[in-house]
Amino acid sequence: MSGAIPVVRERLLGLLPGRADWAAVRRSPRRDLLAGLTVAVVALPLALAFGVTSGLGAQAGLITAVIAGAVAAVFGGSNLQVSGPTGAMTVVLVPVVQQFGTTGVLMVGAMAGLVLIALAVARLGRYVRYLPTPVLEGFTAGIAVVIALQQVPAALGVSDAHGEKVWAVAFDAVARFVVHPKPAALAVALAVAALMLLGARWRPGLPFSLLGVGAATVFAEVIPVDLVRIGALPQGLPAPSLDFLDLDALGVLLPSALAVAALAALESLLSATVADGMTVGERHDPDRELFGQGLANLAAPLFGGIPATAAIARTAVNVRAGAASKLAALTHAVALAAIVLAAAPLVGRIPLAALAGVLLATTVRMVEAGSLWALARATRGDAVVLVLTFAVTVIWDLVAAVAVGVGVAVVLALRAVARSARLEQVPLEQGEHSAEEYALLTEHIVAYRLDGPLFFAAAHTFLLELSEVTDVRVVILRMSRVTTMDATGAHVLGDAIRRLRGRGITVLLSGITPAHDQVLATLGVADDLRRKGLVFPDTPAAIRYARVVALSTVGHPTVVPVD
């Protein structure tokens, strides 16, 4: 235990930013400042909308964008990431708010931060790269649908919709809207969404989300329509507080904290990977990115913010705006803080329907129909994983969707690998033997070459095939092409050898690699063959011995006792 403490300390120190991390700031600070301001304009309506959707209010979204955005920018492992509240995170937080209230959400965020820091110290960030693409695409498409369903009540002007799942709440909102329609809210939401989607095609560089929200706010002020507003916001950031801490609730909140941490890690590392792909020469440090997100989620609850993660949409805007260092993401957080201080009363007049329109447009942009269609047509297994992950995300929850998707993908991958394993009969070379002698040998000696993995998924098929060997005196098992062998495969091999020897067949092994030989020796498989000299370094030596055995037993079949 004492020896582990220096290792942890060393790893923590290695995760802290150094002078080299800020070297990029000096290259083009003006461009970074402009990129940060551009991202702030895009992030403002999203932060407000995600705060409202989470259930803690618009101010929580702004606080998260400011605090978590600044901390993650300084301590994260990417020069280009922009962090804050995201739609995927609000999907996880809504049931937490309903069950545990505001203090529960703050506790969950802080606990998730500690989990992320532990993952960073354990250097687990690099393993996200192994997630299958169909899982990621199905997960993203499912999140988009869930976020869209979350906006249905606000877009329809319904404030009292109920349901245990997000789709149930959306259906209830539609039913209430049919009875008491509020066309103004629906018109505002659709207009803002249409402006964002059409404007992005016309002039991609303009912040149409902010323009749409501004126009909707002016419309609501000038024309007397029934639109629900954000409401009063605090003019400034609240003082940090630990009043939300409740140590007695740790056990109850742990599953939710693990779900939040898993989602934060997944989304942040995916976002960093996307950012790397959009640039030349940029490579993020996955463990440091987890560390930065962990500190951000520790800091945000102190000020009343919700759990945060890196945002792919805002990160992409940051890259396209020309960002080259952490200064851009930090500028985005400072600019949002200035807006909170200077324009809180104006922001409070924004209609909720306008924010719903922003998120509806965002969900449309999240889904790449061409990519989904290509994956669905790639292989049947990919299609199954994609559809299953998507369905579980929408119907159940995000963490379960990733678990189910990865689980099914692993099963299908093992199935494909198992099918690649072959047990192939190999003809014996005639050499200098006469035709009669060769006919005799080939009638009573069979050589099998094992190709591919011999592990739990393929072992039983191997046993069934080998058990069908008939009318032979000697079986040579050529092991040189076995790529993988686990305990199950070794035991099944031993079982096959015992069955063949029980039928009077001599079994010879050849070409066992040192790694596989160690597995067999450790488990005691084929020990009797070793003692009797029936394990050979190569196949020619085994064939020579087999011919001697076959000739000596012609007309005198014997049953070899099995130890």
Side-chain angles (χ1 to χ4, degrees):
M1 185 68 178
S2 60
I5 295 177
V7 174
V8 173
R9 186 189 302 116
E10 182 180 350
R11 290 187 179 180
L12 280 173
L13 291 175
L15 294 171
L16 294 174
R19 183 178 300 177
D21 295 303
W22 293 94
V25 173
R26 295 191 292 269
R27 290 201 298 263
S28 52
R30 183 177 179 182
R31 191 171 66 177
D32 286 331
L33 290 172
L34 291 176
L37 292 174
T38 303
V39 177
V41 170
V42 174
L44 175 61
L46 292 174
L48 295 170
F50 289 137
V52 171
T53 303
S54 71
L56 267 68
Q59 70 276 7
L62 276 175
I63 291 170
T64 304
V66 173
I67 302 299
V71 174
V74 173
F75 293 96
S78 170
N79 287 328
L80 307 173
Q81 288 268 53
V82 180
S83 299
T86 64
M89 190 61 74
T90 61
V91 174
V92 177
L93 295 179
V94 169
V96 177
V97 174
Q98 294 173 348
Q99 189 173 359
F100 304 109
T102 301
T103 56
V105 173
L106 301 181
M107 273 285 292
V108 164
M111 293 169 64
L114 292 175
V115 173
L116 288 169
I117 292 173
L119 294 177
V121 172
R123 297 178 179 175
L124 298 180
R126 68 200 71 182
Y127 294 106
V128 170
R129 72 186 68 172
Y130 299 115
L131 285 175
T133 298
V135 173
L136 301 179
E137 293 289 347
F139 177 74
T140 303
I143 287 174
V145 171
V146 171
I147 295 172
L149 291 174
Q150 286 178 337
Q151 308 318 306
V152 171
L156 299 179
V158 177
S159 57
D160 55 350
H162 300 289
E164 292 186 2
K165 295 293 182 181
V166 64
W167 48 266
V169 176
F171 287 145
D172 186 51
V174 171
R176 293 173 186 271
F177 178 81
V178 172
V179 177
H180 299 290
K182 295 181 180 179
L186 181 59
V188 167
L190 293 179
V192 172
L195 177 64
M196 288 180 61
L197 294 174
L198 297 176
R201 295 191 173 189
W202 175 53
R203 289 286 180 86
L206 292 178
F208 284 100
S209 60
L210 192 63
L211 294 176
V213 169
T217 305
V218 172
F219 170 78
E221 292 294 321
V222 173
I223 300 177
V225 291
D226 183 18
L227 290 173
V228 181
R229 313 298 180 94
I230 288 179
L233 294 175
Q235 290 184 285
L237 296 175
S241 172
L242 292 173
D243 292 341
F244 63 87
L245 286 182
D246 182 5
L247 299 182
D248 294 333
L250 289 177
V252 178
L253 295 174
L254 182 59
S256 299
L258 292 176
V260 168
L263 181 58
L266 178 66
E267 192 168 9
S268 296
L269 295 178
L270 288 179
S271 176
T273 302
V274 170
D276 289 346
M278 296 175 66
T279 59
V280 178
E282 280 290 340
R283 289 294 177 267
H284 72 282
D285 185 325
D287 297 320
R288 289 187 58 187
E289 184 59 30
L290 290 182
F291 182 69
Q293 295 298 329
L295 291 180
N297 280 285
L298 274 178
L302 299 177
F303 297 86
I306 60 178
T309 177
I312 295 177
R314 277 162 274 179
T315 299
V317 171
N318 194 38
V319 175
R320 293 191 184 108
S325 75
K326 295 172 178 287
L327 180 61
L330 189 58
T331 301
H332 136 272
V334 174
L336 289 178
I339 293 173
V340 172
L341 293 172
L346 179 60
V347 172
R349 300 299 298 169
I350 296 175
L352 292 180
L355 299 181
V358 170
L359 293 186
L360 287 173
T362 302
T363 60
V364 174
R365 293 175 176 176
M366 287 176 64
V367 179
E368 297 183 9
S371 177
L372 292 176
W373 179 240
L375 275 176
R377 291 183 301 165
T379 67
R380 185 178 300 175
D382 288 335
V384 169
V385 173
L386 176 71
V387 172
L388 192 59
T389 304
F390 170 81
V392 176
T393 300
V394 175
I395 298 172
W396 198 251
D397 64 60
L398 305 182
V399 177
V402 173
V404 170
V406 171
V408 173
V410 168
V411 170
L412 293 176
L414 289 176
R415 180 169 172 261
V417 171
R419 287 185 170 183
S420 70
R422 295 191 306 274
L423 183 68
E424 183 180 356
Q425 184 173 343
V426 183
L428 296 174
E429 298 81 10
Q430 281 192 351
E432 298 177 355
H433 294 276
S434 65
E436 294 81 8
E437 184 181 7
Y438 180 73
L440 176 64
L441 291 174
T442 56
E443 182 180 351
H444 297 290
I445 301 175
V446 178
Y448 284 96
R449 183 175 62 216
L450 280 70
D451 285 339
L454 185 61
F455 70 129
F456 68 93
H460 293 287
T461 301
F462 156 78
L463 178 61
L464 290 174
E465 291 185 21
L466 197 57
S467 298
E468 296 177 359
V469 174
T470 57
D471 195 27
V472 295
R473 292 189 175 88
V474 183
V475 169
I476 303 172
L477 297 180
R478 300 176 60 178
M479 307 286 291
S480 60
R481 295 193 184 183
V482 174
T483 57
T484 303
M485 181 186 297
D486 67 358
T488 302
H491 278 299
V492 170
L493 175 65
D495 191 21
I497 292 172
R498 284 191 294 274
R499 293 190 185 192
L500 291 173
R501 296 182 69 205
R503 290 163 44 198
I505 298 173
T506 300
V507 180
L508 311 180
L509 300 181
S510 71
I512 303 176
T513 64
H516 301 154
D517 191 43
Q518 182 179 1
V519 175
L520 295 175
T522 301
L523 297 175
V525 175
D527 282 351
D528 185 60
L529 297 186
R530 296 175 195 277
R531 287 193 297 269
K532 294 182 178 180
L534 302 180
V535 177
F536 298 87
D538 53 54
T539 302
I543 292 175
R544 288 192 296 270
Y545 185 88
R547 286 170 173 158
V548 173
V549 172
L551 289 173
S552 65
T553 56
V554 172
H556 304 284
T558 58
V559 176
V560 180
V562 180
D563 295 337

